[in-house]
Amino acid sequence: MFEDSDACVAPVLSLREAPGHPHLMARGTFTGHGGITQPAPAPRFSATPGAVRRPPAQPGADTEEIARDWDVPGILGARASRPDPTAAGPKGLQT
């Protein structure tokens, strides 16, 4: 629609589309590490380039450590007491 105009526009991309956009690919905006595509470190400086050293943590992986560090005792052990959302629900039902 705007290809042949001088309007300053940019597409709104989903998180799945963004890493494949030619401009973002040319800028190195996304990087792959550990089989996961994720945003590259920012800001990027020529004299001190950043690097991804490990894949992102799984959601909740560090909850207990952070709760201890921030002294939030109500969170400690909460993960263990919550039901597994991927487990089957009541008999005959799948959640």
Side-chain angles (χ1 to χ4, degrees):
M1 173 182 279
F2 291 100
E3 243 175 71
D4 296 324
S5 76
D6 62 353
C8 183
V9 297
V12 176
L13 304 172
S14 72
L15 292 176
R16 292 187 193 276
E17 295 172 316
H21 188 273
H23 178 78
L24 299 176
M25 289 174 65
R27 300 264 311 136
T29 304
F30 291 90
T31 186
H33 187 78
I36 297 173
T37 300
Q38 57 188 337
R44 294 185 297 273
F45 301 109
S46 59
T48 56
V52 176
R53 293 182 181 90
R54 61 182 183 174
Q58 294 298 314
D62 301 315
T63 301
E64 292 186 17
E65 179 183 349
I66 292 168
R68 278 192 298 276
D69 187 44
W70 291 354
D71 194 25
V72 185
I75 297 175
L76 293 173
R79 267 184 29 176
S81 64
R82 277 189 257 154
D84 180 356
T86 62
K91 188 172 182 174
L93 297 175
Q94 293 292 325
T95 56

